[in-house]
Each structure stands twice: as structure tokens, then as C-alpha cells.
Amino acid sequence: MTGPSTVQASEPDVVPEFAYRRVTRRFRSEADQEFVALNDVDLEIESGSFVCFIGPSGCGKTTLLNMSAGLLPASGGSIHFRGEKLKKVNTSVGFITQHDNLLPWRTVEKNIGIALEIQKVPRKERRRRVAEVIDLVGLTGFAQRFPSQLSGGMQKRASLARGLVYEPSTLLMDEPFGALDAQLRLNMQNELLRIWERDRKTIIFVTHDLDEAILLADRIVVFGTRPGRVVHVEDVPLARPRDLAELRLDPAYGEIWERLWKLLDHSSPAEEKS
Ligand SMILES: Nc1ncnc2c1ncn2[C@@H]1O[C@H](COP(=O)(O)OP(=O)(O)OP(=O)(O)O)[C@@H](O)[C@H]1O
Ligand SMILES: [Mg+2]
């Protein structure tokens, strides 16, 4: 399917968490040429749903998250958050960005607690909540380390903890588990599903990994390139709770996997340039 895709909320009068209306974003390239990074995105994200964005490098996934967090304006169209047009930074969402930006002069504990400090959460409660998420992401014993004393995967987990600690009702997650080893990744996926099933946050989760998308999502939005756009929206009606090992044996899983695999653009960025 080509052109814009729309995910309808299950009940028409329910206000979606995000409504993207013909959203376009243009940038200038290094050669000062204007190009369309994201074209005509028409999409709704239902409140409380777990939605994965998947697509090749450069198709505009991060750009759309940046716009959803209100950090980047659209060049055309509009984004509505809980019915209100987004015009400034969206302080209601937690944003776990693709690139770590832990503050090098703060310990792990102080990096993770930063949003709670800003919210003036009392010190005792802050310490308790920070300790909880440190355990959750497997960084027990590393609270007093500085970012430079951590491995890449540990830094990734610390920034994940920082996004989780203040318990936002909406989470934007940009490839949060990409740098983790397979076992830890599985643990974190299970933990995230557990948190989501408990709190029913709305989660938009960007991944390159089709298995991860099917394991986690209610809906998968497939992006294509040249220009970046939505090419398909897939519902994932597999029963929950899900177990990746068991899920793979389900024929419905195989059907979704095959369909999306064919839709994904597998050309490498080098091929794109030629
Ligand atoms: N601030 C910017 N200035 C100029 N071009 C940009 C800017 N931000 C993104 N782009 C370009 O817009 C396109 C989409 O980038 P984006 O980072 O959204 O892709 P992505 O889908 O997140 O890719 P990846 O999977 O590699 O993270 C790319 O061609 C990128 O080079
Ligand atoms: Mg990206």
C-alpha cells in the first residue's frame, strides 16, 4: 500500500493520544538542497496502545518522535496531542532518545534522578524511586559511577532508567534496546511489557528489529524511504502476555512476519545513494 495510512481509534469519539494530520518535514541538506524527510504522515495513535515504528535508516522515525515531543516543528500539517494542537515542548511525554546524553559530571544516580529534582520530589522518595529503576535496568551497584566509567550498554540502560523514573503516561522510545546483548534485551522487553500491562501507558517504540516489534506491539507502523513516509499499518492481534519463544511457533506470527518483511525496504543506505 502506498500513500498515507490512518490508524482509527477503536471508538470514533475517543480522543487519540496522537493524531498526525498530513505531517511533512523538510530539511536542508549539506549541499543546501531542500529535501523531504517525512511526507504526508496521516496517523492516529490510540491512548494506552503500544505502537512500534519500523523502517530503514533515514526514513524519518526519529524526526517524527522529535516532532511528537514538540522539539521540532512540522513543515506542513499538524500534530495533535490528546486533542490539542502541539505548539511547544510536550512536557507530558517521557522521551528516551536514540543517542545517550547522560551528563558526564553527574553520577548514574544523579543522572537518573534529574527529572525528579526538577519536579521537586523530596530527597527520600527520589532515592527510593531511583534505586527501584536502577534495579529494574540491571545497574544495581553502579549508582555512584560516572557515565565514563560505564560500558556503552550500561549507559544505554541508565538513560532508559532516566526515562522511566518519573513515570510519564506516554513514552517515546527511540531504539532503546539496540545496544543491549540478547539476554538483557529479552529481560528489558519483558520488563517493559510488564510495566505497560500494569499502567497502560501509551508507548511509541522505534525499532529496526521485526521480531521485537511483533513481540511488543498492538500496531506496527512501517515506514519507507525516498521520501520518508508511512507505507503500511499492521494490527498485531496476538494474545497477551506474550513470550517470544512461544510466539514464534504461532502461525499468525509467521504470517505477520512474512508480510512485513516483504514490505520493509532492505536496500542499504549505500545502494540508496547510487
Ligand atoms: N536536523 C537535521 N538537519 C538536516 N537533515 C536532517 C536533520 N534531522 C534528520 N535529518 C535527515 O532526515 C532524514 C530522516 O532522519 P531520521 O533521523 O528521522 O531517520 P531515522 O528513520 O530515525 O533513521 P535511523 O533508523 O538511522 O535512526 C535523514 O535523511 C536525515 O539525514
Ligand atoms: Mg533514528
Side-chain angles (χ1 to χ4, degrees):
M1 177 183 134
T2 54
S5 308
T6 304
V7 183
Q8 294 293 346
S10 50
E11 292 172 40
D13 55 342
V14 172
V15 177
E17 192 82 343
F18 283 100
Y20 305 91
R21 306 279 181 231
R22 306 205 65 178
V23 174
T24 295
R25 175 68 211 196
R26 289 181 288 272
F27 287 116
R28 284 203 171 273
S29 68
E30 279 168 22
D32 210 29
Q33 297 282 315
E34 195 172 61
F35 73 98
V36 179
L38 208 52
N39 194 42
D40 233 1
V41 172
D42 226 356
L43 190 68
E44 287 186 0
I45 306 287
E46 202 175 315
S47 182
S49 63
F50 199 131
V51 175
C52 281
F53 288 176
I54 192 165
S57 186
C59 65
K61 304 178 299 292
T62 296
T63 299
L64 195 56
L65 286 199
N66 282 333
M67 291 196 285
S68 308
L71 299 173
L72 186 74
S75 311
S78 58
I79 301 178
H80 297 256
F81 177 70
R82 299 180 189 157
E84 298 273 332
K85 190 168 171 180
L86 256 186
K87 289 183 185 149
K88 52 182 170 52
V89 175
N90 188 351
T91 51
S92 302
V93 300
F95 189 8
I96 295 161
T97 56
Q98 189 167 6
H99 304 290
D100 297 318
N101 44 5
L102 296 172
L103 301 172
W105 59 87
R106 286 188 153 231
T107 60
V108 165
E109 181 182 52
K110 292 210 152 158
N111 260 291
I112 295 173
I114 201 160
L116 301 181
E117 279 177 46
I118 292 167
Q119 289 173 352
K120 301 209 181 333
V121 173
R123 191 178 151 84
K124 208 170 157 196
E125 189 191 335
R126 208 163 68 215
R127 294 201 82 152
R128 181 186 59 75
R129 282 168 64 180
V130 168
E132 251 176 46
V133 288
I134 283 180
D135 286 348
L136 178 68
V137 300
L139 283 177
T140 313
F142 291 90
Q144 301 313 320
R145 298 276 186 106
F146 289 91
S148 62
Q149 298 170 316
L150 303 178
S151 71
M154 290 162 102
Q155 291 178 14
K156 198 82 194 159
R157 281 183 271 152
S159 45
L160 180 66
R162 192 177 51 184
L164 294 174
V165 75
Y166 65 100
E167 300 176 347
S169 59
T170 309
L171 266 177
L172 309 176
M173 309 179 82
D174 201 350
E175 301 194 43
F177 304 153
L180 306 181
D181 67 63
Q183 186 56 49
L184 188 62
R185 189 177 183 140
L186 200 61
N187 292 346
M188 295 299 298
Q189 288 166 341
N190 283 329
E191 273 309 319
L192 183 64
L193 280 182
R194 196 183 57 76
I195 292 168
W196 176 74
E197 268 155 23
R198 188 189 65 194
D199 303 344
R200 284 293 156 155
K201 296 175 191 302
T202 307
I203 298 183
I204 304 181
F205 185 106
V206 173
T207 178
H208 274 113
D209 179 340
L210 187 49
D211 286 306
E212 181 170 67
I214 302 174
L215 171 71
L216 296 175
D218 292 321
R219 289 200 172 110
I220 300 174
V221 181
V222 182
F223 289 75
T225 45
R226 293 171 288 165
R229 67 201 191 284
V230 173
V231 293
H232 179 76
V233 177
E234 179 85 21
D235 281 328
V236 184
L238 301 169
R240 293 185 188 271
R242 296 177 184 168
D243 177 294
L244 186 54
E246 282 177 26
L247 208 63
R248 283 205 174 111
L249 304 174
D250 187 332
Y253 173 91
E255 280 167 30
I256 294 171
W257 197 95
E258 289 228 346
R259 190 159 46 244
L260 297 192
W261 184 252
K262 283 183 194 142
L263 282 165
L264 284 165
D265 178 356
H266 300 290
S267 59
S268 69
E271 282 172 75
E272 270 178 38
K273 282 188 190 120
S274 61

